[in-house]
Amino acid sequence: DDEGPLHPECLGESRTDGLRRIVRRVGELTQLAENQQLVRLTYTPENAAEPIISRLAEKLGVESSIIFGNIEVIRDEPIGTIVTKMTGSDQQLKDALALCREAGIRTEVMKRGNID
């Protein structure tokens, strides 16, 4: 049976060591270069199907790596958030936020560059 969460014990490590490894990995994922920002995108039922990540790359040349995502269906409507690491010039990143907002997606810059 391949279903269910992967526990650290399955990888031959204790639960404590596994949790430390996961926390360390999340920290690595959120380390940012000067030309990056960590952004939370919040979707509503009206825009949950928007292919915004591909539009950012296609129209603006902004690379986006999804760090975390949570989409739920409530009353048969999809809603949720994703956290993405966006890479581009200052102007590209500003334009990326504007494009998201134009699509009705709420944006929150959580972290910029190497600054917490």
Side-chain angles (χ1 to χ4, degrees), residues 9 14 17 27 29 40 56-57 75 95 98 100 104 111-112:
E9 292 87 354
S14 72
D17 289 343
L29 290 173
R40 178 178 312 172
L56 296 176
R75 295 187 186 129
D95 291 346
C100 290
K111 188 176 177 182
R112 295 178 200 270

Side-chain angles (χ1 to χ4, degrees), residues 1 11 24 28 32 47 49 54 57 62 81 99 105 111:
D1 185 344
L11 301 173
R24 186 172 48 248
E28 291 168 5
L32 303 176
N47 57 34
S54 60
V62 172
T81 62
L99 186 64
I105 299 167
K111 188 176 177 182

Side-chain angles (χ1 to χ4, degrees), residues 41 43 49-66 82 84 86 99-100 105:
L41 303 176
Y43 293 84
E50 288 290 322
I52 199 68
I53 300 296
S54 60
R55 281 196 190 138
L56 296 176
E58 185 179 292
K59 290 186 174 191
L60 303 173
V62 172
E63 292 182 11
S64 297
S65 297
I66 297 173
I82 63 170
T84 180
M86 293 184 184
L99 186 64
C100 290
I105 299 167

Side-chain angles (χ1 to χ4, degrees), residues 10-87:
C10 297
L11 301 173
E13 53 190 334
S14 72
R15 184 173 297 273
T16 302
D17 289 343
L19 290 174
R20 282 187 189 128
R21 181 179 52 79
I22 291 167
V23 168
R24 186 172 48 248
R25 182 66 180 133
V26 169
E28 291 168 5
L29 290 173
T30 59
Q31 293 297 311
L32 303 176
E34 289 181 25
N35 65 333
Q36 295 178 318
Q37 59 187 12
L38 201 61
V39 180
R40 178 178 312 172
L41 303 176
T42 303
Y43 293 84
T44 64
E46 294 76 31
N47 57 34
E50 288 290 322
I52 199 68
I53 300 296
S54 60
R55 281 196 190 138
L56 296 176
E58 185 179 292
K59 290 186 174 191
L60 303 173
V62 172
E63 292 182 11
S64 297
S65 297
I66 297 173
I67 305 300
F68 171 81
N70 182 36
I71 305 294
E72 296 184 34
V73 177
I74 299 176
R75 295 187 186 129
D76 295 325
E77 299 284 350
I79 61 169
T81 62
I82 63 170
V83 175
T84 180
K85 183 190 295 188
M86 293 184 184
T87 304

